[in-house]
Each structure stands twice: as C-alpha cells, then as structure tokens.
Amino acid sequence: MRTLVTGGAGFLGSHLCDRLLADGHDVIALDNLFTGSKRNVAHLLDRPRFEFIRHDVVEPILLEVDWVFNLACPASPVHYQYNPVKTVKTSVVGALNMLGLAKRVKARILQASTSEVYGDPQVHPQTEDYWGHVNPIGPRSCYDEGKRVAETLMMDYHRQNKVDTRIVRIFNTYGPRMAVGDGRVISNFIVQALRGEKLTVYGDGKQTRSFCFVDDLIEGLVSLMQYEGADAHEPVNIGSSDERSMNDVVECLGEIIGQKLDVEHRSLPEDDPLRRQPNTGRAKERLGWQPRTSLLDGLRKTTDYFRGAVSVEGAACGDVK
Ligand code: NAD
Ligand code: UDP
Ligand code: UDP
C-alpha cells in the first residue's frame, strides 16, 4: 500500500505517518510547513518507506498512491485566522486537487473534517445528521465553511465520479507534538503551567469541549479508512464523549502538575461555541471504535512531552510562528 498524508508534518499527520509505517505502508508526507514542522517527522526521514514532499495542496500534484488522507489545513483558530483567505483555499482547492488525484489514480480518500461544521450547536450531543449552526460571515467561517465545502466536494466526487471517499468529523484532539505556540487550549494551558505563568481562560471558562487523546483519534481514522460498508462515504464523528469545561481542564492539570494553578481571564473570542460533545454511536456501531484514554492519562502523557518541548522551542503561547 502506498499512502499519501497531506499535512503529514503536523500534529495529527505525523502520528498518522508513524501508524501507517508501523502497519507496513509506503508513506508520502506532503506539507507546506505552515503550522507543521520537519521536527515532527525527523525520526522518519531515514526510513526507506518514508518520503517527505514540501508542497502546498492548493497547487496540483501528480502522485501514484492507493490511499490519501487529506489533513492539510491549519487547525488552531490563531493560525487559521492569520490568513483566512488562504485557509479557505487550502480547504477547498486542497480538497479539489486531492479528489482530482484520487479520481485519476482510483485511490481511496479520507477528508479530515471537523466538529466545527456543527458551529455553535443547537443539538447536543451532535449526531452526524445534524446540519449545524454556523455563522457564514464570522472570523471562524474561513475554517468552518471551508471544511463544509470540502465535505460537499467529497460527496459530489463520490456521487458524480464514484470516488471512494471517507469523511471524518474530528472533535478536539490533543497530545504530544502539538506545537508550543499552537494556540489551542490544551497546549496553551500546559505550556503556561510548565512556565509558571497564569493560565489564560477565555470567558468564564464554563464553555465545554470533549477532548480526545491523539492515539485514540488515529485509531479512528485508520478504522474508518479500512471500513468497507456501503455507507462508508457518510461522515463519522470521532472524538471523546467526556465533555469538560475549561475550568475542569485547569483542575485536572493542577492535579498533574501537583499544585493549584492560577488563572487569568481573557475575553471570549467571537463565535466561540458554548458546548461541544460528539455522539459517537456511528463510530462504535460501524467501526467498533471508542476512545480508551482518560483525560487525566492523556494530559499526563502530553505534559511529559511538553516538558521537553518547552525547553527547546521559544515561541510564546498562541504566537504565530
Ligand atoms: P496542524 O496545524 O498541526 O497540522 C496541519 C498541517 O497541515 C501542518 O503540518 C501544516 O503545515 C499543513 N498545512 C497547512 N496548510 C497547508 C497547505 N496549504 N498545503 C500543505 N500543507 C498545509 O493541525 P492538526 O491538529 O494536526 O490538524 C490536522 C487536520 O485535522 C486538519 O485538517 C484539521 O482541520 C483537522 N482537525 C483537527 C482537530 C484537532 O483537534 N486536532 C480537530 C478537528 C479537525
Ligand atoms: N489534480 C491533481 N492531481 C491529479 C489529478 C488532478 O492535483 O493527479 C487536480 C487538477 O489539477 C484539478 C483538480 O485536481 O485542478 C480536479 O481534478 P479533476 O480531474 O476532477 O477536474 P478538472 O481537471 O477536469 O477540472
Ligand atoms: N481557550 C481558553 N484559553 C486558551 C485557548 C483557548 O480558554 O488559552 C478556550 C477557547 O475559547 C475555547 C476552548 O478553549 O472555548 C477550546 O479552544 P481551542 O482553540 O483549543 O479549540 P476550538 O475553539 O477550536 O474548539
């Protein structure tokens, strides 16, 4: 099997490359290194079955592969709002190019979509048949609507050109190899705690997310790609059902660090969703998938990683590299 992972030098992409190589695939990681880093795949560069290509998915590319995982797209609000027009292009033109490639070489293709397609949801927990509550003109729209169009393209190439497609709606995922300056809440909190800084809680901290550990997420992606059911092209939520407020996360982290952590409140970003929890019934039923790592265990592993990373990287939390 020859497998292309776009966004392969990113947080999730690099873990996926590790997993596919372990499963015996030849892996091509394609990345423009906007938010990703060669450091994430440095341990793979000598492997004969691994190849890194510096390329932007907005530009067409000719490759011969059996599987495509299309993960290229900045995922942290700080990064995807840095150049919102580019974010839309990456999601839309990137998906179009990868679908064109999949059509040409008859490859199976998985699109990394997101819980953001549900926006600030009015249905809770979110099931895949919920159409969402998304602001089309706000600061998060470049990401949310870009991913919604990517899903539309996947479905249209499936119906029109019989491309073998998969859509995964990923809910907040964290773990080792998130960048120190990524800007998402778990990495920000851990880095701040390790530096002895106050944790920046946006708003009153009562908003919720359901945090999935990266190993569980990768297992879900691979399971969906392997799934052969007649309904395989339908979107599947992958994420944790353990819904927590940001205040809860601060407490869990305090337990791991071994001291009460001070917080500093900042204003809540515009259009920040109030609640988010996946209904993962479809993943469980079709893929036999469910998350296994508790928040406490996952945070422990992630904190261990950041102890090393914080001393290497100098970037401030939330800064754009
Ligand atoms: P990340 O920022 O670490 O990884 C994204 C990777 O894509 C980076 O390596 C970046 O350099 C690369 N990239 C960005 N634009 C590109 C372009 N135009 N051409 C080529 N490469 C490009 O983020 P991540 O958390 O690993 O996210 C991976 C995918 O999963 C993204 O598509 C994201 O939308 C999706 N996702 C992630 C989460 C999460 O919680 N981690 C949640 C929902 C969806
Ligand atoms: N594409 C690509 N690699 C390929 C095949 C296609 O990057 O191996 C791009 C192609 O340049 C086009 C897009 O994918 O911009 C969609 O391709 P498709 O063949 O579906 O559409 P068309 O080229 O007919 O517009
Ligand atoms: N958040 C926070 N402090 C931070 C970064 C984020 O309180 O330093 C909040 C943010 O407002 C949101 C939640 O944490 O309510 C998750 O944010 P993240 O950017 O990780 O993911 P997303 O909003 O895309 O789900």
Side-chain angles (χ1 to χ4, degrees), residues 107-128:
R108 180 173 294 179
I109 178 169
L110 176 145
Q111 172 63 39
S113 185
T114 169
S115 51
E116 294 282 331
V117 299
Y118 301 122
D120 191 7
Q122 293 172 317
V123 166
H124 195 81
Q126 293 79 56
T127 47
E128 288 87 349

Side-chain angles (χ1 to χ4, degrees), residues 88 91-92 95 99 117 143-156:
V88 174
S91 274
V92 177
L99 279 159
V117 299
Y143 184 73
D144 304 8
E145 298 288 19
K147 291 288 189 180
R148 286 167 68 100
V149 175
E151 288 200 8
T152 305
L153 283 168
M154 295 289 285
M155 292 303 297
D156 286 338

Side-chain angles (χ1 to χ4, degrees), residues 189-190 192-199 247-263 303 307:
F189 281 1
I190 294 178
Q192 288 159 346
L194 292 176
R195 288 180 174 159
E197 296 167 359
K198 287 184 178 165
L199 274 53
N247 296 329
D248 274 351
V249 176
V250 174
E251 265 191 42
C252 281
L253 200 55
E255 215 173 293
I256 291 165
I257 303 277
Q259 65 184 73
K260 190 177 173 326
L261 298 168
D262 289 334
V263 306
T303 305
R307 280 185 216 283

Side-chain angles (χ1 to χ4, degrees), residues 128-166:
E128 288 87 349
D129 54 10
Y130 175 49
W131 291 356
H133 181 229
V134 177
N135 177 357
I137 56 169
R140 296 175 84 100
S141 313
C142 58
Y143 184 73
D144 304 8
E145 298 288 19
K147 291 288 189 180
R148 286 167 68 100
V149 175
E151 288 200 8
T152 305
L153 283 168
M154 295 289 285
M155 292 303 297
D156 286 338
Y157 269 81
H158 173 72
R159 283 186 289 246
Q160 198 176 325
N161 301 111
K162 308 278 172 282
V163 176
D164 188 9
T165 55
R166 304 285 184 278

Side-chain angles (χ1 to χ4, degrees), residues 6-14 30-37 40 55-58 70-76 79 86 89-91 94 111-116 143 147 168-174 177-179 182 184 212 217:
T6 76
F11 160 50
L12 296 181
S14 63
L30 180 156
D31 203 296
N32 71 349
L33 300 179
F34 170 43
T35 54
S37 164
N40 289 336
H55 179 83
D56 195 308
V57 284
V58 165
N70 189 30
L71 270 59
C73 184
S76 163
H79 292 128
K86 179 62 196 259
K89 280 191 196 168
T90 293
S91 274
Q111 172 63 39
S113 185
T114 169
S115 51
E116 294 282 331
Y143 184 73
K147 291 288 189 180
V168 59
R169 292 186 180 150
I170 302 171
F171 283 64
N172 299 65
T173 302
Y174 68 99
R177 295 196 201 139
M178 292 183 91
D182 181 88
R184 281 176 279 187
C212 184
L217 192 277

Side-chain angles (χ1 to χ4, degrees), residues 3-31 37 40-45 47 49-53 69 71 177 214 218 221-222:
T3 300
L4 171 64
V5 179
T6 76
F11 160 50
L12 296 181
S14 63
H15 284 279
L16 181 60
C17 290
D18 286 345
R19 164 65 190 265
L20 293 168
L21 283 163
D23 288 351
H25 292 236
D26 283 350
V27 176
I28 302 174
L30 180 156
D31 203 296
S37 164
N40 289 336
V41 290
H43 60 293
L44 303 177
L45 293 174
R47 300 270 293 268
R49 287 183 180 277
F50 181 77
E51 201 178 334
F52 176 77
I53 301 177
F69 286 88
L71 270 59
R177 295 196 201 139
V214 59
I218 297 299
L221 296 192
V222 173

Side-chain angles (χ1 to χ4, degrees), residues 116 140 172 184-185 188 200 202 207 209 272 276:
E116 294 282 331
R140 296 175 84 100
N172 299 65
R184 281 176 279 187
V185 68
N188 271 8
T200 51
Y202 300 165
Q207 72 272 32
R209 297 291 187 271
D272 200 275
R276 191 183 284 153

